[in-house]
Amino acid sequence: MNLPHWSLSNIYPSVDSAEFRNDLEKVKELSSLLEKECSLAVYDELSAIVINLDAYVNALLSTDSDNAEYLKALSLVEDALVVFNKAEDEFVRAIGKTKEEADEPLFAREARISSRHLMGKEEEALAAELSRSNESAWSRLQE
């Protein structure tokens, strides 16, 4: 039987491709940079990469959920998401400490509000780690 599949080669050639691996590494590098610099440009680039990685792997898994290669790629992307979430929390925390400006972008206003509701750094890091296992466990339970 020939099952349907997505043609995703315009995003990444495969989960083993250099492009896919490079973007996983870029997430680590840009996350580290984001924690050091409060830069909206870095955040935008990082967010775009994370969205692509996550959408790509989930689209692959949507038609072949038992594929070991795709499941391994999902695990790598989930690891990258944990790194991203930690950096994003630091970014939001940094924006929250800045002075509010009348003409600031909506994102900055929302980040400032979100920063008031963040837990401590250690608690946020733990929550990011635990969210990965919770999401995975729930997904596996549904299969």
Side-chain angles (χ1 to χ4, degrees), residues 6 11 29 46 64 69 78 93 95 100 104 110 130:
W6 296 100
I11 302 173
E29 293 167 11
L46 180 56
D64 192 359
E69 196 174 84
E78 287 175 342
R93 195 179 309 277
I95 289 176
E100 189 172 342
E104 69 185 2
E110 290 176 346
L130 292 175

Side-chain angles (χ1 to χ4, degrees), residues 8-121:
L8 301 171
S9 59
N10 60 333
I11 302 173
Y12 299 108
S14 73
V15 293
D16 293 328
S17 69
E19 294 89 342
F20 182 79
R21 298 284 176 189
N22 288 342
D23 275 359
L24 286 170
E25 285 302 313
K26 261 192 202 175
V27 170
K28 293 175 188 172
E29 293 167 11
L30 290 174
S31 292
S32 178
L33 182 61
L34 185 62
E35 288 180 9
K36 294 174 189 164
E37 298 177 17
C38 185
S39 167
L40 190 54
V42 172
Y43 179 77
D44 285 344
E45 182 180 356
L46 180 56
S47 295
I49 292 169
V50 167
I51 289 167
N52 274 349
L53 287 166
D54 190 46
Y56 176 74
V57 170
N58 282 296
L60 290 173
L61 282 167
S62 70
T63 58
D64 192 359
S65 61
D66 293 331
N67 187 312
E69 196 174 84
Y70 298 165
L71 290 169
K72 181 179 176 186
L74 175 63
S75 181
L76 294 172
V77 170
E78 287 175 342
D79 289 345
L81 284 170
V82 169
V83 172
F84 167 73
N85 288 336
K86 289 177 184 178
E88 183 180 43
D89 287 345
E90 287 304 309
F91 179 61
V92 167
R93 195 179 309 277
I95 289 176
K97 293 177 183 175
T98 62
K99 184 180 176 188
E100 189 172 342
E101 297 176 20
D103 63 340
E104 69 185 2
L106 175 62
F107 176 81
R109 280 183 277 162
E110 290 176 346
R112 188 168 286 103
I113 292 166
S114 294
S115 73
R116 295 181 204 139
H117 303 285
L118 288 174
M119 298 178 281
K121 290 181 184 181

